[in-house]
Amino acid sequence: MYSANERVILALDVSSKQEALKVVKGLLPELRFVKVGMELFFSVGPDLIHHLKDLGLKIFIDLKVHDIPNTAYNAVRSLNGLGCDIINVHCAGGLTMMKRAREAISEDTKLIGVTQLTSTDQSMLNTELGIAGSVTDSVLNLARLAKEAGLHGVVCSPQEVELLKAELGKEFLAVTPGVRPLGEDTQDQKRVMTPKKAIQAGSDYLVIGRPILKSDNPLRAFRDIVAQIQEVDSGE
Ligand code: C5P
């Protein structure tokens, strides 16, 4: 497995290149993996990806592609050309869309599927989205489809990881946002867990934004999270 540092993916949820580089430089060389999402990519564009790669960082480009199969294929092919480590699509786009997107991925890149957002809870799933059953059932159903389509893993809440791994196997990646160190504000996240519990449950990567970005001391916040992962790795 990767080192504890490499299992923390920092969500670079800021809107300018300057801010992104300031955060990143404050955490280097310990920071190994960053996530560039819509806020940053839509305002800065691909240029930043090259810059982050030059700093030796691994990159998860989180644009959650969700469209008809042909458009999704072309979108993922464009993203794949940036040389990122992880790209994602929404599982809700369906099996054919995911299969087509998978065809656009080169060997060194992983394609993962977003199941249910970690801001979705039971009542929102049933009443707003009109999906019956539990959040866990829906996540597992979408994850099964992702696996059938040949994706490398999924994005889900740490609360679903144990069941996911039991059913779909240890190799099927679980990338989990919704991680909150003890005592943190959960903000808009509903299905949350601490870093230690998420790793114990089997998460491969923790995606963490505000608990680091909004901290008075981001480096200390990052190190505390890494320390929780190391505790699990050393069997504490
Ligand atoms: O600040 P916070 O730690 O909540 O950031 C979590 C990040 O993970 C955000 O960038 C959010 O877009 C992303 N994400 C998520 N839930 C998903 C997929 C991605 O929170 N299912």
Side-chain angles (χ1 to χ4, degrees):
M1 194 49 201
Y2 303 111
S3 70
N5 286 33
E6 210 159 323
R7 295 175 73 184
V8 179
I9 304 182
L10 173 67
L12 273 178
D13 292 332
V14 295
S15 55
S16 73
K17 184 173 175 177
Q18 288 83 338
E19 275 178 278
L21 293 177
K22 188 171 167 226
V23 176
V24 161
K25 287 184 175 160
L27 298 174
L28 285 174
E30 289 162 60
L31 179 69
R32 304 292 311 131
F33 217 138
V34 293
K35 179 174 86 69
V36 175
M38 295 185 234
E39 179 184 359
L40 189 55
F41 194 76
F42 291 165
S43 52
V44 179
D47 177 47
L48 177 76
I49 302 292
H50 304 305
H51 206 117
L52 294 170
K53 275 171 68 82
D54 288 345
L55 291 171
L57 289 163
K58 291 178 116 183
I59 299 165
F60 168 13
I61 184 142
D62 176 22
L63 297 181
K64 301 185 178 70
V65 173
H66 186 179
D67 213 310
I68 59 170
N70 188 55
T71 305
Y73 168 81
N74 287 317
V76 170
R77 195 181 54 174
S78 297
L79 292 176
N80 186 68
L82 296 174
C84 295
D85 299 272
I86 302 180
I87 296 173
N88 62 359
V89 295
H90 260 293
C91 298
L95 187 61
T96 309
M97 186 206 77
M98 286 193 277
K99 280 186 175 164
R100 283 291 282 145
R102 178 68 183 84
E103 286 166 16
I105 291 286
S106 54
E107 207 164 304
D108 295 334
T109 303
K110 307 275 187 227
L111 182 68
I112 61 175
V114 178
T115 55
Q116 290 297 347
L117 296 172
T118 38
S119 54
T120 301
D121 63 11
Q122 186 69 49
S123 95
M124 180 180 162
L125 184 81
N126 300 148
T127 56
E128 292 179 29
L129 304 183
I131 299 171
S134 69
V135 176
T136 306
D137 287 344
S138 174
V139 168
L140 287 177
N141 179 42
L142 291 166
R144 273 180 217 116
L145 270 189
K147 187 160 184 190
E148 189 182 338
L151 268 57
H152 299 93
V154 288
V155 184
C156 63
S157 138
Q159 297 180 4
E160 292 108 29
V161 171
E162 233 171 300
L163 283 173
L164 180 102
K165 292 279 181 172
E167 184 177 329
L168 299 175
K170 281 202 159 35
E171 301 304 311
F172 194 63
L173 291 176
V175 177
T176 61
V179 177
R180 287 291 177 270
L182 281 180
E184 290 280 338
D185 182 358
T186 57
Q187 286 117 352
D188 53 351
Q189 298 285 13
K190 303 271 174 55
R191 305 189 334 270
V192 301
M193 229 185 229
T194 65
K196 186 170 180 177
K197 288 216 164 92
I199 292 292
Q200 281 170 332
S203 292
D204 296 288
Y205 294 99
L206 309 182
V207 175
I208 306 183
R210 287 163 293 183
I212 296 173
L213 298 174
K214 306 280 182 210
S215 165
D216 295 340
N217 187 337
L219 183 57
R220 192 176 57 209
F222 178 81
R223 284 179 175 161
D224 286 348
I225 292 161
V226 170
Q228 288 197 36
I229 299 175
Q230 283 164 339
E231 275 177 34
V232 180
D233 290 345
S234 63
E236 280 175 47

